């Protein structure tokens, strides 16, 4: 699938500042009289003011705003390439007209708030990293009829709350064509989703499409070309306080392949998942096996005569992947693509209701001796787990609905 390219960060505000600073120093080295001294002092005052305003996330500093048609994959200047990690934050926009089943708030409000939290707590201080928001171009084919178009006004409302960030809206299929397992009719999938023909009923087609999306389809989109890492966040995710470290820089410094916040457990279709993935996951000729990860996510059922003959079972333990950071190249490897093919052939997502977090557990098992970390200190909240019956203070709702009057 070919996706449109997106905008790039070519020069950071810091770079422009350095360039100005160098020019200023060159001027200062010339002999100066008293009037020049005054000008120099004035310049220093202006520069100090600008640095001060940088550290205050409430001040509307627009960094690196570039026109949306410039190319994200444009080679960056050497300087930026070495100073800012090549990373991107990705969110899937919720169905445009959906309400949260937990606290009866429009999920569109969640999305605005989530993007705002990324803007304030990450991008105001680090990066800034591009934010990609995926929206369904086939929204009219959502079987639950909850999706709809994200209008120019909707997009502007999200962007209005993200003044430090460049946002790219990317249209993808969610309910048709590439979103579906190949060689299966829509009618068959809908029957499975209703629990017919041996299917496991439960979440609708769109939700299962989301699970398949995060299991390797998204990571193979052209839009991630040129990026080493991505961070997933959802519309119902929030960064809850300023980050005191750059998560992407930490990821690089520790030479990681995957980082997540906590673990959970799910059981939908895990037997079918294990049947499909075991030959990949426990295959020492395909990849190095990491004993620690294996013991973390699998249960030993028979020790065997030596370690390679040991038998394992999968009981559903998983990284809770609504927030995670991962290297892009893992998901593009032939090893992982062959898992993706097998998952599709066995209809894991649409027939057996397999979830993406369980699939990520399998992925971790295939990451060999590369380093994986659980970041307990990552300041992140997810709606259904952390926000209880409410979604933030009452004002949040008013704030979201309030400035949409007259729409
Ligand atoms: N466009 C679209 N997005 C979906 C659909 N189902 C889930 N999502 C998105 O997928 C992410 C995870 O969904 P969520 O309902 O929060 O699932 P949970 O956190 O696993 O309970 C969120 O960003 C949702 O907006 C769907 O049918 N269509
Ligand atoms: Mg959620």
């Amino acid at each position: 699938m070919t996706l449109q390219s997106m905008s790039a960060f070519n020069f950071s505000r810091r770079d422009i500042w350095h360039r100005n600073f160098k020019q200023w120093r060159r001027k200062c080295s010339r002999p100066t009289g008293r009037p020049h001294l005054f000008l120099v002092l004035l310049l220093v005052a202006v520069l100090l003011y600008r640095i001060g305003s940088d550290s205050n996330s409430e001040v509307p500093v627009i960094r690196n705003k570039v026109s949306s048609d410039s190319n994200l994959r444009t080679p960056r200047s050497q300087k930026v390439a070495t100073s800012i990690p090549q990373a991107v934050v990705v969110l899937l926009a919720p169905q445009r007209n959906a309400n949260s089943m937990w606290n009866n708030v429009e999920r569109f409000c969640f999305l605005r708030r989530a993007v705002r939290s990324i803007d304030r707590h990450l991008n105001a201080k680090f990066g800034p990293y591009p934010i990609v928001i995926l929206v369904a171009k086939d929204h009219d084919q959502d079987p639950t009829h909850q999706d709809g178009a994200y209008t120019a006004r909707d997009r502007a409302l999200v962007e209005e709350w993200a003044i430090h960030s460049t946002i790219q809206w990317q249209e993808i299929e969610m309910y048709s064509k590439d979103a579906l397992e190949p060689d299966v009719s829509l009618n068959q999938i809908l029957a499975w989703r209703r629990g017919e023909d041996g299917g496991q009923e439960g979440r609708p087609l769109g939700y299962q499409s989301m699970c398949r999306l995060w299991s390797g389809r998204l990571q193979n989109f052209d839009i991630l070309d040129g990026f080493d890492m991505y961070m997933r966040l959802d519309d119902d995710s929030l960064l809850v306080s300023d980050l005191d470290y750059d998560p992407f820089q930490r990821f690089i410094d520790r030479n990681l392949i995957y980082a997540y916040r906590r673990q959970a457990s799910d059981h939908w279709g895990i037997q079918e998942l294990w049947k499909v993935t075991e030959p990949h996951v426990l295959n020492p000729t395909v990849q190095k096996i990491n004993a620690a990860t294996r013991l973390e996510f699998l249960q030993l059922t028979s020790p065997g005569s030596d370690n390679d003959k040991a038998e394992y079972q999968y009981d559903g333990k998983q990284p809770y992947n609504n927030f995670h950071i991962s290297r892009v190249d893992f998901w593009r490897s032939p090893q992982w693509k062959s898992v993706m093919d097998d998952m599709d052939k066995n209809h894991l997502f649409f027939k057996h209701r397999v979830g993406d977090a369980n699939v990520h557990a399998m992925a971790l098992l295939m990451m060999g001796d590369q380093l994986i970390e659980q970041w307990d200190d990552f300041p992140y909240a997810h709606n259904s787990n952390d926000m209880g019956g409410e979604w933030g203070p009452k004002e949040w709702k008013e704030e979201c609905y309030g400035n949409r009057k007259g729409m």
Side-chain angles (χ1 to χ4, degrees):
M1 162 173 179
T2 307
L3 293 172
Q4 284 171 357
S5 52
M6 53 182 278
S7 54
F9 288 102
N10 292 320
F11 294 100
S12 73
R13 187 180 161 82
R14 236 171 286 136
D15 288 326
I16 293 165
W17 186 86
H18 277 299
R19 205 187 48 205
N20 291 345
F21 181 72
K22 272 192 198 151
Q23 284 168 358
W24 169 75
R25 242 192 5 202
R26 233 175 282 131
K27 277 191 198 143
C28 285
S29 59
R30 291 184 207 126
T32 51
R34 267 181 186 282
H36 287 101
L37 192 67
F38 174 74
L39 270 176
V40 168
L41 287 174
L42 194 69
L43 237 170
V44 170
V46 169
L47 284 171
L48 284 176
Y49 171 77
R50 287 179 64 186
I51 297 165
S53 67
D54 248 12
S55 61
N56 181 353
S57 64
E58 300 299 327
V59 175
V61 181
I62 301 187
R63 302 181 194 216
N64 295 329
K65 279 278 181 195
V66 290
S67 64
S68 58
D69 59 354
S70 67
N71 190 335
L72 231 200
R73 282 168 288 147
T74 306
R76 294 143 206 238
S77 76
Q78 213 39 32
K79 196 166 180 184
V80 175
T82 52
S83 61
I84 298 180
Q86 304 295 295
V88 58
V89 180
V90 189
L91 297 95
L92 170 63
Q95 291 152 295
R96 176 61 187 86
N97 304 311
N99 268 12
S100 159
M101 62 171 143
W102 303 99
N103 26 36
N104 201 27
V105 182
E106 263 188 54
R107 290 197 71 147
F108 178 63
C109 289
F110 283 12
L111 177 69
R112 291 184 72 197
R113 199 96 208 172
V115 172
R116 174 169 164 166
S117 79
I118 299 162
D119 183 73
R120 287 197 172 177
H121 299 311
L122 173 68
N123 276 350
K125 208 164 161 195
F126 302 108
Y129 296 102
I131 301 174
V132 173
I133 304 180
L134 305 170
V135 286
K137 70 170 153 210
D138 53 355
H139 51 80
D140 54 340
Q141 293 178 63
D142 174 10
T144 69
H145 308 292
Q146 292 191 73
D147 213 340
Y150 275 78
T151 62
R153 166 85 173 139
D154 293 339
R155 295 175 191 210
L157 283 167
V158 173
E159 286 162 12
E160 213 169 74
W161 279 7
I163 53 178
H164 307 94
S165 308
T166 294
I167 294 177
Q168 175 68 26
W169 298 84
Q170 191 65 45
E171 311 238 321
I172 62 162
E173 273 131 10
M174 277 299 291
Y175 311 100
S176 62
K177 299 181 188 160
D178 283 357
L180 308 182
E181 289 155 353
D183 307 320
V184 193
S185 70
L186 177 63
N187 280 341
Q188 177 63 81
I189 290 177
L190 293 174
W192 285 334
R193 300 313 321 120
R194 290 191 299 267
E196 296 163 12
D197 299 343
Q200 173 58 58
E201 69 178 326
R203 297 296 198 126
L205 180 150
Y207 186 92
Q208 290 308 123
S209 167
M210 174 277 290
C211 294
R212 183 169 176 270
L213 178 74
W214 285 108
S215 298
R217 179 176 169 232
L218 178 151
Q219 293 87 337
N220 277 277
F221 284 163
D222 294 355
I223 208 165
L224 293 194
D225 288 359
F227 288 105
D228 297 326
M229 296 151 280
Y230 70 90
M231 178 190 292
R232 171 187 177 173
L233 288 169
D234 286 346
D235 63 310
D236 57 350
S237 298
L238 280 175
L239 297 185
V240 290
S241 61
D242 281 357
L243 279 151
D244 50 19
Y245 57 89
D246 180 337
F248 292 115
Q249 195 56 55
R250 178 197 261 194
F251 193 89
I252 292 172
D253 294 345
R254 298 185 180 180
N255 201 19
L256 303 183
I257 185 164
Y258 194 97
Y260 62 99
R261 168 83 166 70
R262 61 175 160 228
Q263 294 183 0
S265 187
D266 253 331
H267 63 275
W268 301 111
I270 58 171
Q271 270 146 15
E272 286 80 8
L273 173 66
W274 185 235
K275 216 186 292 168
V276 169
T277 51
E278 185 188 353
H280 298 270
V281 164
L282 296 183
N283 186 345
T285 58
V286 171
Q287 35 117 36
K288 287 184 190 156
I289 291 179
N290 182 328
T293 318
R294 190 162 52 174
L295 286 175
E296 184 68 42
F297 288 97
L298 298 179
Q299 290 69 48
L300 188 67
T301 49
S302 156
S305 52
D306 67 49
N307 205 25
D308 279 348
K309 306 250 169 50
E311 283 170 26
Y312 293 86
Q313 192 49 260
Y314 178 57
D315 283 354
K317 201 171 178 188
Q318 60 193 13
Y320 203 67
N321 68 340
N322 303 52
F323 156 74
H324 70 273
I325 301 178
S326 182
R327 286 196 58 87
V328 173
D329 52 8
F330 167 79
W331 304 91
R332 297 178 170 203
S333 66
Q335 288 88 336
W336 186 254
K337 283 188 173 170
S338 121
V339 176
M340 287 167 67
D341 283 347
D342 281 355
M343 291 194 296
D344 274 352
K345 278 183 202 136
N346 289 278
H347 312 300
L348 292 191
F349 295 104
F350 293 108
K351 183 174 181 188
H352 297 293
R353 196 191 161 174
V354 165
D356 53 310
N358 290 126
V359 173
H360 278 225
M362 300 300 109
L364 299 196
L365 290 160
M366 290 195 64
M367 289 175 179
D369 54 4
Q370 310 230 50
L371 296 173
I372 296 160
E373 275 186 359
Q374 185 170 333
W375 289 357
D376 297 324
D377 66 347
F378 194 74
Y380 160 82
H382 174 246
N383 186 38
S384 54
N385 307 92
D386 303 311
M387 311 287 275
E390 275 310 316
W391 171 68
K394 195 164 93 257
E395 297 79 68
W396 284 15
K397 216 163 158 180
E398 285 160 16
E399 207 177 351
C400 180
Y401 294 132
N403 62 9
R404 287 158 60 203
K405 280 183 193 136
M407 277 175 71

